[in-house]
Amino acid sequence: MGLDSALTIAQPELLLAAAALGLLVVGAYSGRLAMTLVSWGAMLALGAAAVLAANGPLGQAFKGAFVSDGASVFAKVIIYAASGVAIFLGERWLVRAGNAKFEYPVLVLLAALGMGMMVSAGDLISLYIGIELQSLALYVLCAFQRDDARASEAGLKYFVLGALSSGLLLYGASLIYGFAGSTRFADIAGAVHGPASMGIVFGLVFLICGLAFKVSAAPFHMWTPDVYEGAPTPVTALLSAAPKVAAMVLFARVLAQAFPHDVPQWSQVVTAIALISVTVGALGGLVQKNLKRLLAYSSIANIGYALLGLASGSEAGLQAMLMFMVLYVIDVTGFFACLLALSRGGKPMETLPSLAGLVRLRPGLAIAITILSLSVLGLPPLSGFWAKFYVFKAAVSTPGMEPAAVYGLVMSVAAAFYYLRIIKTMWFDAPEGETDAPPLDARLVALGCAAFSFPLVIPALAVLDPLALAAAKAFGLA
Amino acid sequence: MDLQAIAFYTLAAIMLAAAGLVVTARNPVHSVLFLILAFFSGAGLFVLLGAEFLAMLLIVVYVGAVAVLFLFVVMMLDVDFVSLRSGFAQYMPVGLVVSGLLLVEMVMVSGAVASSGAAAKVKAAAVTGRSNIEEIGRVLYTDYVYFFQAAGLVLLVAMIGAIVLTLRHKPGVRRQNIADQTARTRKSGLSIVKVATGEGISE
């Protein structure tokens, strides 16, 4: 395989890298126009990369280090779209906050590039470099409001704990390399036949711990509420959407393609992590008054459900995981867009009591939050219901997973309490006073996502279902 | 015992001792100096393996740049290491449990290595007759070109991040403008004023 064909396969990533470098120069020399110019340029680049990914050739490049298959294409389209939305939300927000620095869209672009490399990783080295590129850009984005003590704290905390998790991941990767003799997933799968040796199992467990940190699954979730609360809200919207998809697809790829003969071994570990996450997310959210912290616990619980799909270790389970992630990303982006749209006296409304009586003040946004809450809660026929439906269907049809599925269902009922409390506060409590006029960009995204949750999700399912199935087939599990 | 084995055990012993002292030394400057000693012993081990280019790289990059930078940071930052250590006793039990677990795991893994032999699976490097540096350059720009370029992007992000988070444009800073400076004439740069006695000059 020559370099030409390798470059053709990596087209979307090359485009993003070139765009990031070019826009950096454009931004440095275009004065006051920089923010607008670079933001729209970055969104254009992300859109073009998504189109290229969807239509580009499939195959392996760079001796298997970079893989383009159904799963990577499926994930890339979602990731690039979600990153584009984060730039769209962040641009006006930063201008309003008086911190319009053109590095924001460039860093989101580089993070998206890292995520694209993650979902295309076919080698332990490209896995690690992809994760680091994505994480490093996100650390900086978290601390982007550098004069805000909470944002700096969030960035530092994320950085220190992220470095720790990278250490765990590398330790695992080095053990796997030592015992399998290769860093390429296909070669590892070839070297590990039958019951894995002690060294491989240790490596695998460390690798899973590192990845669990990246998807903020319990018990590696400690950073999530603090980082979500402290980071600028558009960055939190990005954090909770695209990187989670990238890390989940990477998680699935490394387990399914490097360890296809050890499904029972890793399935146990992933099930345990999934159930702990579901529990922590459901119970931790009950006591939260800050909406960003609450959404952090909600995302921990939801990652638990996605991991439950992965733990099924079957094609149906992986399809369920992919469907869950798409629908969840749209829901959570809508939620954060609502938070971005709401402010009172110039201060963002981030606590639960501040939402009181919202339906009388901002009926459109209140209805959007209601639809999104009911959707994340899992009420049929909203999108969140279909997401959980896929996961539980896959879990129930896997022998031995039935109790886990039932437990997940019980915990989702417990978590319903805090979504219902948001709705109750908005519809039945007395308002505290006028809110500011919501900005157009955030309102547009909020209403769009709510409209997708219901009713657009019904026709969308007919399109997404076969796409997710084709993507799940690419992982190569039966 | 041949000469190579003697050299290996000496260097390895020095390296381990230095690494232990990095952690236990009370004075942080001493820690960094022991770190440099550990790097030197590591470079010696590389030479024993026949990787002379990596050995030189370790000394140039780690000793010459990284460790010296560490030394500067440690000396210039006024960090109160005594107060940093104040929580040490409090977190000691948790730390001991975690490091104990890691130790047990490492022993078990090394047991597994000893019994099954991880080294047996690793193919021996082919002898090519090319020099070390030539061989590394060859793989870096062929098989590993993707990783190499991607790592470059990671470093770019680090650079952008450092600038975004720390650069502040202060108003009133005088910058060099060569065109303005050379276009200065006697008229624009000089004025003759009559100073009244006892008044001084104000702008």
Side-chain angles (χ1 to χ4, degrees):
Chain A
M1 170 153 310
L3 190 63
D4 287 352
S5 61
L7 294 182
T8 329
I9 288 169
Q11 256 172 358
E13 280 64 38
L14 286 173
L15 175 82
L16 285 184
L21 296 176
L23 288 172
L24 209 53
V25 178
V26 170
Y29 285 101
S30 53
R32 272 185 303 160
L33 272 176
M35 186 63 173
T36 324
L37 219 60
V38 175
S39 294
W40 287 97
M43 279 187 260
L44 208 68
L46 284 167
V51 172
L52 270 183
N55 299 313
L58 302 182
Q60 297 198 339
F62 305 112
K63 298 205 168 176
F66 186 94
V67 183
S68 178
D69 58 10
S72 79
V73 168
F74 184 84
K76 273 179 200 175
V77 173
I78 308 166
I79 288 167
Y80 296 158
S83 307
V85 171
I87 295 179
F88 180 67
L89 287 172
E91 188 222 351
R92 303 312 314 160
W93 190 89
L94 285 170
V95 170
R96 287 193 292 276
N99 189 21
K101 280 189 291 208
F102 69 88
E103 284 91 347
Y104 172 80
V106 174
L107 283 169
V108 176
L109 211 55
L110 286 165
L113 171 62
M115 293 176 223
M117 287 164 56
M118 280 164 77
V119 295
S120 280
D123 189 298
L124 289 174
I125 305 177
S126 46
L127 170 150
Y128 177 67
I129 293 180
I131 287 182
E132 279 309 293
L133 182 56
Q134 171 249 24
S135 313
L136 207 57
L138 290 179
Y139 303 148
V140 179
L141 284 171
C142 282
F144 205 75
Q145 295 284 76
R146 59 185 186 188
D147 296 322
D148 179 0
R150 278 193 315 167
S152 306
E153 187 202 332
L156 193 63
K157 192 171 274 182
Y158 194 20
F159 175 69
V160 171
L161 291 175
L164 178 73
S165 82
S166 290
L168 287 180
L169 197 132
L170 278 179
Y171 185 42
S174 68
L175 282 179
I176 292 170
Y177 173 55
F179 281 85
S182 173
T183 55
R184 211 153 296 147
F185 293 172
D187 295 348
I188 296 173
V192 185
H193 275 303
S197 69
M198 174 104 85
I200 292 277
V201 172
F202 271 128
L204 186 55
V205 169
F206 275 108
L207 196 69
I208 291 178
C209 291
L211 287 170
F213 179 91
K214 300 292 176 196
V215 295
S216 76
F220 307 97
H221 65 282
M222 304 76 65
W223 58 277
T224 321
D226 294 337
V227 172
Y228 274 35
E229 187 190 0
T233 313
V235 175
T236 317
L238 173 68
L239 267 184
S240 60
K244 298 278 194 288
V245 180
M248 282 306 296
V249 171
L250 178 65
F251 212 149
R253 188 186 295 281
V254 69
L255 292 183
Q257 293 187 340
F259 302 97
H261 312 295
D262 305 308
V263 177
Q265 268 120 325
W266 57 255
S267 176
Q268 275 176 5
V269 183
V270 177
T271 310
I273 292 177
L275 294 183
I276 300 172
S277 305
V278 168
T279 316
V280 167
L283 302 182
L286 294 179
V287 291
Q288 300 303 325
K289 286 273 179 269
N290 183 296
L291 287 170
K292 280 162 93 179
R293 291 185 81 88
L294 196 148
L295 284 173
Y297 280 102
S298 158
S299 92
I300 295 169
N302 278 301
I303 283 299
Y305 294 116
L307 285 172
L308 210 54
L310 174 59
S312 306
S314 61
E315 198 177 282
L318 292 172
Q319 185 205 7
M321 183 205 85
L322 291 170
M323 286 298 288
F324 188 94
M325 289 316 290
V326 185
L327 299 174
Y328 169 69
V329 159
I330 296 171
D331 267 352
V332 81
T333 307
F335 242 122
F336 280 107
C338 290
L339 286 191
L340 283 166
L342 291 171
S343 62
R344 178 174 281 145
K347 288 220 158 89
M349 294 158 59
E350 283 178 359
T351 60
L352 187 60
S354 70
L355 288 185
L358 193 70
V359 76
R360 266 158 280 173
L361 303 169
R362 299 276 160 214
L365 281 173
I367 290 171
I369 298 180
T370 309
I371 291 179
L372 291 167
S373 300
L374 290 175
S375 167
V376 181
L377 180 163
L379 191 81
L382 284 77
S383 65
F385 163 74
W386 296 107
K388 283 184 183 158
F389 173 75
Y390 272 98
V391 166
F392 288 129
K393 199 177 77 173
V396 167
S397 58
T398 310
M401 285 278 287
E402 297 91 348
V406 172
Y407 183 79
L409 209 57
V410 171
M411 276 301 150
S412 93
V413 175
F417 172 76
Y418 56 77
Y419 301 118
L420 289 175
R421 195 170 53 173
I422 298 178
I423 298 174
K424 178 238 162 202
T425 314
M426 287 191 308
W427 287 77
F428 302 113
D429 290 1
E432 279 182 4
E434 277 305 306
T435 60
D436 303 338
L440 183 68
D441 50 329
R443 204 172 44 175
L444 218 61
V445 174
L447 296 182
C449 291
F452 179 86
S453 283
F454 187 78
L456 291 182
V457 66
I458 310 283
L461 278 178
V463 182
L464 283 172
D465 181 70
L467 287 176
L469 187 63
K473 274 197 179 24
F475 287 120
L477 280 184
Chain B
M1 204 151 62
D2 58 349
L3 198 62
Q4 221 171 357
I6 296 173
F8 169 77
Y9 284 113
T10 317
L11 287 169
I14 294 176
M15 192 172 177
L16 284 179
L21 285 166
V22 170
V23 189
T24 51
R26 288 211 162 266
N27 188 333
V29 177
H30 294 171
S31 289
V32 178
L33 292 175
F34 281 120
L35 191 66
I36 293 175
L37 180 59
F39 282 146
F40 265 111
S41 326
L45 290 177
F46 270 130
V47 172
L48 278 185
L49 281 172
E52 73 280 349
F53 177 62
L54 282 184
M56 294 308 130
L57 214 58
L58 194 70
I59 289 179
V60 172
V61 176
Y62 279 88
V63 178
V66 177
V68 171
L69 202 71
F70 264 153
L71 209 55
F72 273 118
V73 170
V74 167
M75 288 196 288
M76 287 166 80
L77 276 185
D78 188 21
V79 183
D80 188 358
F81 286 93
V82 179
S83 74
L84 274 182
R85 288 220 183 88
S86 61
F88 188 68
Q90 190 189 342
Y91 298 119
M92 181 109 111
V94 183
L96 278 181
V97 169
V98 173
S99 45
L101 278 176
L102 277 176
L103 184 70
V104 169
E105 270 175 19
M106 282 180 184
V107 169
M108 286 166 88
V109 168
S110 5
V113 174
S115 66
S116 74
K121 284 180 189 153
V122 180
K123 286 160 251 153
V127 181
T128 52
R130 278 193 288 268
S131 76
N132 240 270
I133 181 163
E134 205 178 339
E135 197 56 45
I136 288 177
R138 198 175 286 272
V139 252
L140 215 51
Y141 287 97
T142 53
D143 293 358
Y144 294 99
V145 66
Y146 170 55
F147 307 136
F148 190 57
Q149 296 299 328
L153 282 173
V154 176
L155 291 180
L156 174 73
V157 171
M159 204 167 82
I160 299 175
I163 293 172
V164 167
L165 295 181
T166 55
L167 181 68
R168 286 173 200 275
H169 290 290
K170 283 187 203 136
V173 176
R174 283 165 192 256
R175 289 176 196 284
Q176 188 170 29
N177 187 338
I178 293 167
D180 276 2
Q181 281 165 289
T182 49
R184 234 161 92 103
T185 59
R186 195 175 57 147
K187 254 187 193 158
S188 64
L190 190 72
S191 62
I192 297 173
V193 285
K194 273 234 182 297
V195 185
T197 314
E199 299 263 304
I201 299 177
S202 60
E203 290 241 5

